[in-house]
Amino acid sequence: MPINKNHVLRNAVSLRVGLIGDPVAHSLSPRFQQAALDACGIAARYELWLTPADKLVERVRSLCDKNCLGANVTIPHKRAVLPLLDKIDPLAERIGAVNTIVHRDDYLYGYNTDAPGLLYALQEQGVGKAGPGGQISLKGYTAVLLGAGGAARGAAFALTGAGVERLIILNRHLERAQMLAADVQQYYDGPVFSLNDPAFLIPHPSAIIINATSLGMHEDASVLPTEVLARFDADTFVYDMIYNPSQTYLLCQARTIGLRSANGLSMLLHQGALSFTLWTGKPAPLGVMRAALE
Ligand code: NAP
């Protein structure tokens, strides 16, 4: 996606891009996005735009400013911004969440880079293969998705879009898992199972277990009892979308059992890299961005 020509011509003037959410102060995005903008010589500032719900319309409208490249969107506005935009990318439409807004030719476009960001993060860990067109395939894998909230929705569409053999959604509130399963099945022919009790989880070979719940952010706990996790084959990969703390209880369980695992920092990096390219039309300087996160 080329950067808006008008933006380039005005490069002497500082352009703006930022994060819309509430809260935003904790975000790592300014750190690695600013490093990327600077490394590519783009005269733009990445800002934190604290936006309570009653100010969302005004904030989104402000993105139409001629010096604004767009924005990232985080909790709690990823769904609420959809009707405020001019055009929504089909993947974001299916997921029902936008985390990246691009201001291009006086229009606001909505994208979801969390979903492909997860696939790139998995590929980096040797899970999945990139095809000739760069598309990542998860053929042969069974995905066990913990959670059915916003992040899980993106993951469910990403995983099924990448061709997993089957999807198992485990969520505390069963009806949310069932709703997500029904949404995914409109686009996916493979089997989707919904559970709310981990005891009924049947292990499959080549499993990817992805935590998309917030359990583990503030407490030493995980959705999966260790004895359930221990039933899975040695080739199982455990990915926790949480990156703060960097070692969650789930990751400790996986390590104790001897399963490969990673935290959500790589997903944060890749979703940010994809957003960067959408705003600027340039390949993201991944090394610079990764170093800024260290
Ligand atoms: P959300 O929409 O609020 O969903 C929260 C999910 O967690 C729901 O499935 C909820 O289950 C479950 N949950 C919460 N507390 C629980 C508990 N005590 N026991 C069991 N399940 C519990 O949040 P979200 O936006 O999807 O975010 C989820 C996590 O993903 C957060 O930690 C977020 O930081 C992380 N995330 C990371 C990245 C990244 O780039 N690495 C990107 C996006 C999100 P119920 O439906 O039953 O309530």
Side-chain angles (χ1 to χ4, degrees), residues 1-288:
M1 222 75 52
I3 191 169
N4 186 328
K5 283 198 190 94
N6 297 332
H7 289 324
V8 175
L9 292 175
R10 277 192 298 273
N11 222 2
V13 179
S14 191
L15 302 171
R16 298 167 77 213
V17 57
L19 175 66
I20 298 173
D22 186 8
V24 289
H26 65 286
S27 172
L28 297 176
S29 292
R31 218 202 282 177
F32 71 97
Q33 293 290 6
Q34 193 60 57
L37 291 164
D38 295 347
C40 292
I42 299 168
R45 282 194 315 275
Y46 190 100
E47 301 174 348
L48 289 175
W49 295 331
L50 177 66
T51 308
D54 63 342
K55 293 279 184 284
L56 184 63
V57 173
E58 199 180 315
R59 174 68 72 192
V60 170
R61 212 173 284 147
S62 76
L63 303 180
C64 294
D65 180 277
K66 58 184 170 34
N67 291 322
C68 187
L69 295 175
N72 278 135
V73 184
T74 189
I75 287 172
H77 303 315
K78 286 185 186 185
R79 288 180 87 82
V81 293
L82 265 85
L84 307 177
L85 304 176
D86 297 305
K87 199 158 171 48
I88 311 291
D89 176 71
L91 177 65
E93 186 92 60
R94 284 179 199 181
I95 296 168
V98 159
N99 78 325
T100 304
I101 301 174
V102 179
H103 177 213
R104 192 189 306 130
D105 302 328
D106 290 334
Y107 291 102
L108 297 179
Y109 295 80
Y111 297 89
N112 188 303
T113 66
D114 283 332
L118 170 66
L119 296 183
Y120 284 115
L122 292 174
Q123 192 204 8
E124 203 172 87
Q125 301 292 329
V127 179
K129 283 194 198 95
Q135 268 217 313
I136 295 167
S137 165
L138 291 173
K139 257 187 163 127
Y141 286 96
T142 290
V144 178
L145 182 58
L146 311 178
R153 283 191 70 82
F157 281 97
L159 294 163
T160 52
V164 289
E165 218 60 25
R166 61 181 67 75
L167 174 66
I168 303 168
I169 305 170
L170 174 71
N171 195 52
R172 177 176 60 175
H173 292 102
L174 181 62
E175 61 284 8
R176 283 189 91 188
Q178 288 169 330
M179 268 163 52
L180 176 53
D183 288 350
V184 165
Q185 287 205 292
Q186 291 180 41
Y187 304 94
Y188 173 66
D189 291 335
V192 183
F193 304 93
S194 311
L195 299 174
N196 65 347
D197 185 345
F200 294 115
L201 204 50
I202 297 167
H204 291 271
S206 303
I208 318 166
I209 299 176
I210 295 172
N211 180 39
T213 75
S214 44
L215 187 65
M217 275 178 94
H218 305 294
E219 53 289 275
D220 247 2
S222 110
V223 171
L224 291 185
T226 304
E227 62 272 19
V228 172
L229 194 58
R231 286 187 213 145
F232 281 81
D233 282 10
D235 67 351
T236 299
F237 183 76
V238 178
Y239 192 79
D240 198 332
M241 284 197 193
I242 296 172
Y243 51 83
N244 187 13
S246 59
Q247 281 301 316
T248 58
Y249 189 75
L250 176 68
L251 294 179
C252 293
Q253 288 175 298
R255 217 183 30 236
T256 308
I257 296 167
L259 302 179
R260 289 178 306 134
S261 61
N263 70 25
L265 206 59
S266 48
M267 177 176 166
L268 179 78
L269 171 75
H270 285 288
Q271 64 76 30
L274 292 163
S275 301
F276 179 92
T277 300
L278 286 167
W279 295 319
T280 65
K282 290 179 187 292
L286 262 186
V288 169

